[in-house]
Amino acid sequence: MREADSVSEIREADVSEAEIAVHWREEPRIDPPADFVAQATVRDRRLFATLSGNDFPEGFRSYADLLQWDHPYDQVLDQSNPPFYRWFSGGRLNASVNTIDRHLGSARDRVAYYFVPESESEPITALTYGELASRVNRLAGILRNRFGLAAGDRVTIHLPMVPELPIAMLACARLGVIHSVVFSGFSGKACGTRIVDSGSRLLLTMDGYSRNGQWLDHKIKADEAFEAAASSGVTLDGVAVFERYPGRYRSASPLRPGRDVALTPLLTHGSDHDIAPASLESNHGLFIMYSSGTTGQPKGCLHGIGGYLAWVTATSRYVLDLKPDDVYWCMADIGWITGHSYIVYGPLSIGATSVIYEGVPNFPDAGRPWRIAEKLGVRILHTSPTAIRALRREGADAPSRYHPPLRLLATVGEPIEPETWHWYYSEIGHGKAVVVDTYWQTETGGHLLATLPGIEPMKPGSAGPALPGIEAAIYDETGNRLKPGAKRAGILVIERPWPGLMLGIWNDPERFRATYFEPLRRGAHKDRWLYCTHDAATQSSDGYFRILGRTDDVINVAGHRLGSKEIESAALNVAAVAEAAVIPFPDPVKGHLPLLFVATKPGTASPKGVARSVERAVIEAIGPIARPKAVLVVEDLPKTRSGKIMRRVLRAIATGGDPGDTTTLANPESVEAIRKEVGRSL
Ligand code: PRX
């Protein structure tokens, strides 16, 4: 990124006081319930005394100690090539050993996962750590022997919420194969793009699955993904297909001989030999997770083994208060980073029991999550504000009928407004469970901001202070560090590396530096490597942060990141569309929905037809999650004299805000026309 761009980025990020004023007011702090405190893992901040000040980075030895190493590390932190930090360098370990094998002594028969099918008439199944080990080894054997995969190769996994998903991830991890999981709701095309970028050799998929009471054919997406990748020059060695019900293949797309491989017979008749885990250097790649950002292509966030695993293990233990004898349910999808860190790697590393639920939370009714939680004895629940809002809206009384033994309620992905927070606390937790709002990002591997549940009071609407070892601060548009309580918004910045920070962007080291570190490398900070979160935030005098939202072109829909550029380029694929601009539009349940404005080429007859085609194109390119709230067809989009589309003006018009002085636009008359269209359509 050039200097000029980075400066303008920070300026645009400056969130006005007006915007903060419409945000909720500061809430009083609430002490965690006494019963929770009495049993909390962290009851004393002294546990973290070594993580601050001069003990950095040596203090993080205690985090590495949470793992089992084949060979000790030489250096806690190699900072010789910033911002490419390397944690626990020289150490060797394997992620599948840390999540499975090390529990096989005393906890072989402990349940690792309960699998809850969406249909309530299907039984819940339990997979012990011993069974998980045998299924992971079998699949690892197939990946190695049948497909010839070895450490450093990449595999794309496009699977729904079924136990085969973590099994596939861990089989890759056992061999040192880097997995790239694509959210099952993403389209075949989106999966294809990610296959190309990661240079994957194999695609792991499934015939289909149930969602919202419907059977979804999933294998057809693999065909699209294969074709999309092939047309971009990447031909997979094969497509390996699981069956949702082994032995009963249920996709309309037949297996293609020579390309598709049915996994059921191989898994059923395969040998049960253990596959020796690869002993890998701490900074070997564990996985790639694609995330949307400022420019067109999603970027592949590459996480390593040692630092990442230490961070998610520590935060599962200290922030989620997860213990080996807990039943824990994170309702996120494993296809997103939350599921990677807090359904797979963190909880398994601790040796806890987790729930994997196939379907949507409110199927067949909004009481379902509470029935599941009661039946399985869930003590720790982790979900998103969107899910809480939806469950509250559809079944505000439902939780009162069930009594799961909940003691901690976590939330992630978007700001939680106090009203929703209070419902979560009072109705779901009956005031007896502590609420933990966790703020972090795909890039950060695990939590950055949260209250330590046993020692720090909760504050509805605030994510909380920085975790031990995280040096967080707010910087204003000129690069000044704001003091806590400054009552001004700025960019949330992390001033020092931490073990969970990703290794870099797959295939694009320069972009890693430019996106996260260049924006603040100027003036007094020109020699520093400050991590820019691209989130606007404020910090109260008590040190608690309140997140206001993304400052780049990312739209947060139901806690999921969608890139504006990806949505706009999908719209531009429709022949009649000349220009497209998308903005986040507030939604009472999902936080925001994409609202698309398109200008058509001269002579286009049917605006309705164009709108429909654009909606279809967006869903086909990304998936139903990106379905726009509306597609507004207009003659012209507001532009600066240099031709830049003014999304801020569109946002103001759509949300009834003040678009500011529009007379300096190249086409000020466009504003009135858009206002009329907004009035007609929204
Ligand atoms: O804007 C912040 C928001 O989600 C973004 C990260 O999205 P993603 O990489 O998909 O990871 C989601 C799960 C960690 C952030 O930049 N965000 C995440 N958690 C919170 C949040 N906003 C407010 N409060 C949170 N607790």
Side-chain angles (χ1 to χ4, degrees), residues 36 40-42 47-48 51 62-63 66 310-322 350 408 436 447 451-454 467-468:
F36 177 85
T41 298
V42 180
L47 180 62
F48 304 109
L51 295 186
S62 63
Y63 280 35
L66 299 172
W311 192 251
V312 298
T313 306
T315 47
S316 296
R317 189 165 157 154
Y318 304 140
V319 178
L320 300 178
D321 197 54
L322 193 55
I350 293 211
L408 186 143
V436 188
H447 307 144
T451 45
L452 286 170
L467 290 180

Side-chain angles (χ1 to χ4, degrees), residues 291 336-338 385 411-416 437-444 449 463 533-535 547-550 554 556 559-561:
S291 181
W336 303 96
I337 191 70
T338 303
T411 144
V412 63
E414 38 173 337
I416 178 164
D437 180 358
T438 64
Y439 164 86
W440 56 295
Q441 309 175 310
T442 304
E443 294 86 340
T444 73
L449 311 178
T533 62
H534 295 279
D535 274 308
I547 305 296
L548 301 168
R550 300 286 306 196
V554 166
N556 190 329
H560 302 314
R561 261 161 80 167

Side-chain angles (χ1 to χ4, degrees), residues 60-76:
F60 281 114
R61 282 184 188 279
S62 63
Y63 280 35
D65 290 347
L66 299 172
L67 305 180
Q68 181 178 313
W69 296 82
D70 303 338
H71 183 276
Y73 50 89
D74 309 319
Q75 215 182 343
V76 175

